[in-house]
Amino acid sequence: MKRAIRYLRFSQLGQSNGSIERQELYTDQWLKFNNVELTDTFIDRGRSAKTFDRPDFIKLQEFISKHFKTVDYLLVDQMDRFSRDAGEAMSMVKMLQRKYNIQIVSVTEGITFDYDTPGSFFRAGLQLLLAEEDNINRSIKIRGGLYTARAKEGRYIGIKPPYGYIKFGEGKERKLIIEETEAKVVKFMYDAYIHDTPLYIIKEQVFKLGFKARGNTAVERVLSNPVYAGMLQVQGFKEYPGGIFPAIHEAIIDKATWQIVQNKMKKPEKVRAVLDENLPLRGILKCHCGNLLTGAPSRGKSGKYFNYYKCKTSKHNNISAIKAHTQLAEILELMSLPENILSEIKQSSSVAIEEKLKSNKLTLEQKKLLLKETQEKMFSVEEKWIKNEISKDTYDRWYATYNSTIHSCKDAIERLSKVETHAFKMLQKKLHLLGDLKSIYNNANIIQKREFVKLVFDSNLYYQEGVYRTPTMIPIMSRNHLIMKEKGLLVYNKKRDDFPIIPSSGVGENRTPVQTSN
């Protein structure tokens, strides 16, 4: 009595096990009708037939290699259960028959594959080619559907939502909704990266904040993903271009911030900056030659270690960190704002927020009007296409244009509808701290200290001959710069780009002295 093994498969886990039961029924009927004994069954659930890299198919091959002398047939329901790649399938079938003398039987198609029989070979090859063609057509439909959903409808189609979002809704109504706790972590990543916080520090911080994604580039993937700016990266399909398209979900960070981060990520990676609480100015403070100062402890005559800021150029700056920090503390005391200036800031900020709200209200009405007009134009284009008054290409071109404008208007309306007084309230509540900048700096962590110094001096703080120097400084904090200079703390050579053009000579090229006044 001849013996057989059988291979059963369905491709999607969502399919009913009825698919397997049906395959069992048909192969059982073949076994009974042909008086063949079943030796074993191999089943792959939820496995594609694009390749032979399937768990039970691998087991099947191992079984055949050991027991091929007791097996005559390999049964499948249809040839596409075996494989949807005609070339690979034909090679596998040929190998099984030539090496192990096992014949492949497609029970519902009535084919017993015999490589040495032309008719059998042709029929089996035809079925495999039809299966592959069907697979190609399915792939085209799927990719076309994905392109439409992403590029034209702005829908996120991924199986899992990106970190910072959850999925809400069903079918075409499903979209991404912001998960506020995770969104705060995403915002922190972008803000920290823009402010030049080293990536290793960002990764340490976000892990403490609850970011659990594994992998060395998990943070980089978040920073490069356009989904966080309300956009989608879409692959091209046929003649339709790929690229970044507007999405229907709410953004966590604005497009300008996302683009700034992308530009920074394209730049060559700098040497990793290791932060040290004892040397907060390392990599920020510059030597008079323009080099960023490094920092390291140096052993003194007593055997104790002291921190120094050093220039890589020999005989340039080698500054005691204690001295540099003491001088900076005195500078911060002189930069602190008196009560009368703080009062003026409060008053002017109140006026500014009122003007901003009025401006937002006007812009909001304009955006609502533009949205209504664009939606009407979109409806008109759709109606013309349905009536065959315009071509598909024309419809696609106008659809993309109007759809982009609609999403832009909706984003603007949502943003402008929120009365953003939070920043104003925070300013009013924390403004008094500007009266004691020394305490703010001393109580800050190392990242905040570095950001504070870069902000105040616009990343242009130098050190030369025992004195800090800068061409740029927040104007309101520079009111005591002459006192700073007199005390040998800071020289503020104000950077100006509005010097009048003074001729080097007068009439008849007689040199004219320049009159200056203080």
Side-chain angles (χ1 to χ4, degrees):
M1 188 177 187
K2 292 191 175 183
R3 296 180 179 182
I5 57 174
R6 64 183 172 187
Y7 177 71
L8 314 176
R9 181 191 65 81
F10 64 81
S11 58
Q12 297 180 11
L13 285 173
Q15 290 178 342
S16 168
N17 277 330
S19 173
I20 294 296
E21 292 170 359
R22 181 185 60 79
Q23 295 176 52
E24 287 178 336
L25 175 63
Y26 290 148
T27 50
D28 283 342
Q29 290 175 346
W30 189 92
L31 290 165
K32 185 177 180 181
F33 183 80
N34 291 279
N35 194 29
V36 175
E37 180 185 350
L38 179 65
T39 301
D40 209 339
T41 299
F42 299 86
I43 304 174
D44 273 318
R45 292 178 169 87
R47 297 290 174 173
S48 169
K50 291 181 180 179
T51 71
F52 287 111
D53 187 18
R54 306 169 227 152
D56 259 48
F57 194 87
I58 293 172
K59 292 178 183 178
L60 178 147
Q61 293 179 79
E62 292 173 352
F63 180 89
I64 291 175
S65 67
K66 294 179 181 178
H67 308 287
F68 65 92
K69 293 182 180 180
T70 61
V71 177
D72 301 291
Y73 301 106
L74 169 58
L75 307 184
V76 293
D77 170 42
Q78 293 179 338
M79 292 303 290
D80 63 359
R81 299 296 172 188
F82 188 71
S83 175
R84 284 183 175 271
D85 186 306
E88 285 192 6
M90 295 296 282
S91 297
M92 177 63 72
V93 169
K94 181 180 177 180
M95 184 274 292
L96 291 175
Q97 183 176 346
R98 288 289 176 88
K99 186 174 181 179
Y100 300 116
N101 196 30
I102 294 176
Q103 291 185 309
I104 313 299
V105 179
S106 173
V107 297
T108 58
E109 294 166 329
I111 301 172
T112 300
F113 185 89
D114 187 346
Y115 192 77
D116 297 320
T117 303
S120 169
F121 175 81
F122 174 78
R123 290 181 63 199
L126 179 60
Q127 291 299 325
L128 288 169
L129 287 170
L130 289 173
E132 183 169 355
E133 182 184 29
D134 180 57
N135 199 45
I136 292 170
N137 289 333
R138 286 187 186 184
S139 176
I140 290 172
K141 287 180 181 179
I142 291 172
R143 288 189 289 118
L146 291 176
Y147 184 88
T148 299
R150 289 169 175 161
K152 297 186 177 181
E153 298 172 4
R155 293 189 289 122
Y156 179 84
I157 306 298
I159 297 174
K160 292 180 62 177
Y163 181 84
Y165 288 97
I166 58 174
K167 283 185 176 181
F168 180 80
E170 296 295 333
K172 288 191 174 182
E173 299 302 318
R174 178 179 292 180
K175 65 177 182 178
L176 297 178
I177 301 295
I178 291 177
E179 203 289 313
E180 294 296 340
T181 302
E182 293 182 353
K184 290 179 181 178
V185 180
V186 173
K187 290 177 181 177
F188 171 81
M189 289 186 199
Y190 277 84
D191 184 63
Y193 190 80
I194 281 180
H195 289 93
D196 296 323
T197 303
L199 269 171
Y200 85 95
I201 294 291
I202 296 176
K203 292 175 181 178
E204 290 175 358
Q205 293 294 323
V206 297
F207 185 77
K208 293 177 182 178
L209 293 172
F211 184 69
K212 302 297 184 184
R214 301 299 179 187
N216 294 331
T217 60
V219 169
E220 288 89 328
R221 289 197 299 272
V222 172
L223 292 173
S224 61
N225 194 342
V227 74
Y228 297 106
M231 302 181 291
L232 295 173
Q233 180 73 51
V234 183
Q235 290 185 346
F237 174 68
K238 292 188 175 181
E239 71 273 18
Y240 298 106
I244 295 176
F245 292 80
I248 59 175
H249 65 264
E250 183 182 355
I252 292 177
I253 51 104
D254 60 83
K255 293 181 177 66
T257 298
W258 185 81
Q259 192 57 58
I260 291 171
V261 168
Q262 305 321 298
N263 293 337
K264 286 175 69 68
M265 292 180 77
K266 289 178 182 177
K267 294 180 180 179
E269 188 176 353
K270 297 178 181 178
V271 177
R272 170 171 159 160
V274 179
L275 303 188
D276 185 340
E277 294 286 349
N278 297 314
L279 294 162
L281 301 179
R282 179 167 62 187
I284 293 178
L285 184 60
K286 298 177 182 178
C287 178
H288 57 271
C289 67
N291 289 327
L292 291 170
L293 297 181
T294 60
S298 180
R299 188 174 182 178
K301 294 181 180 178
S302 64
K304 294 179 66 176
Y305 284 87
F306 299 92
N307 290 308
Y308 285 84
Y309 292 107
K310 302 178 181 180
C311 178
K312 65 181 182 180
T313 302
S314 177
K315 297 183 180 180
H316 280 202
N317 276 304
N318 186 15
I319 317 158
S320 163
I322 294 175
K323 178 182 178 181
H325 297 163
T326 302
Q327 287 177 300
L328 183 60
E330 292 184 55
I331 292 169
L332 294 175
E333 285 183 337
L334 290 169
M335 285 169 50
S336 299
L337 305 181
E339 185 59 38
N340 64 317
I341 293 180
L342 294 177
S343 179
E344 289 177 7
I345 293 175
K346 286 184 179 180
Q347 185 177 357
S348 61
S349 61
S350 297
V351 174
I353 194 67
E354 288 179 8
E355 292 178 352
K356 181 64 175 176
L357 290 173
K358 289 180 182 178
S359 174
N360 283 359
K361 186 177 180 180
L362 178 61
T363 306
L364 179 62
E365 294 303 318
Q366 293 172 343
K367 292 294 182 181
K368 285 182 177 179
L369 180 60
L370 177 59
L371 175 62
K372 183 180 178 182
E373 292 174 350
T374 308
Q375 286 175 329
E376 289 174 353
K377 291 177 181 178
M378 173 82 87
F379 178 77
S380 176
V381 168
E382 289 176 341
E383 193 174 30
K384 288 180 179 179
W385 182 53
I386 292 171
K387 293 180 179 179
N388 291 322
E389 294 178 4
I390 59 175
S391 67
K392 182 68 165 57
D393 288 341
T394 301
Y395 168 76
D396 288 339
R397 185 170 63 253
W398 284 110
Y399 180 94
T401 301
Y402 292 147
N403 193 45
S404 177
T405 303
I406 288 171
H407 283 302
S408 175
C409 287
K410 286 182 176 179
D411 287 344
I413 290 170
E414 184 177 0
R415 175 173 48 81
L416 294 168
S417 297
K418 297 177 182 177
V419 181
E420 294 290 354
T421 58
H422 178 69
F424 172 68
K425 290 178 181 177
M426 286 294 294
L427 175 65
Q428 296 287 342
K429 185 178 180 180
K430 302 290 185 181
L431 193 59
H432 69 280
L433 297 175
L434 295 179
D436 189 2
L437 293 178
K438 179 180 176 181
S439 293
I440 291 178
Y441 183 83
N442 289 338
N443 292 325
N445 60 42
I446 186 170
I447 296 176
Q448 293 167 336
K449 286 178 179 178
R450 292 166 66 86
E451 288 307 312
F452 178 84
V453 172
K454 286 192 288 185
L455 175 66
V456 171
F457 301 105
D458 194 24
S459 298
N460 285 317
L461 186 61
Y462 297 80
Y463 203 91
Q464 182 180 12
E465 297 177 351
V467 181
Y468 284 99
R469 300 172 186 271
T470 185
T472 52
M473 188 175 178
I474 293 179
I476 199 170
M477 295 180 179
S478 66
R479 59 189 182 83
N480 288 328
H481 73 91
L482 293 178
I483 298 176
M484 297 177 195
K485 181 177 181 181
E486 183 180 338
K487 289 189 172 186
L489 300 172
L490 173 72
V491 176
Y492 177 35
N493 294 319
K494 186 176 181 181
K495 181 181 179 181
R496 294 182 58 187
D497 55 7
D498 59 346
F499 286 110
I501 300 175
I502 302 173
S504 59
S505 59
V507 178
E509 298 191 2
N510 294 320
R511 188 168 295 280
T512 304
V514 178
Q515 299 294 327
T516 60
S517 59
N518 295 323

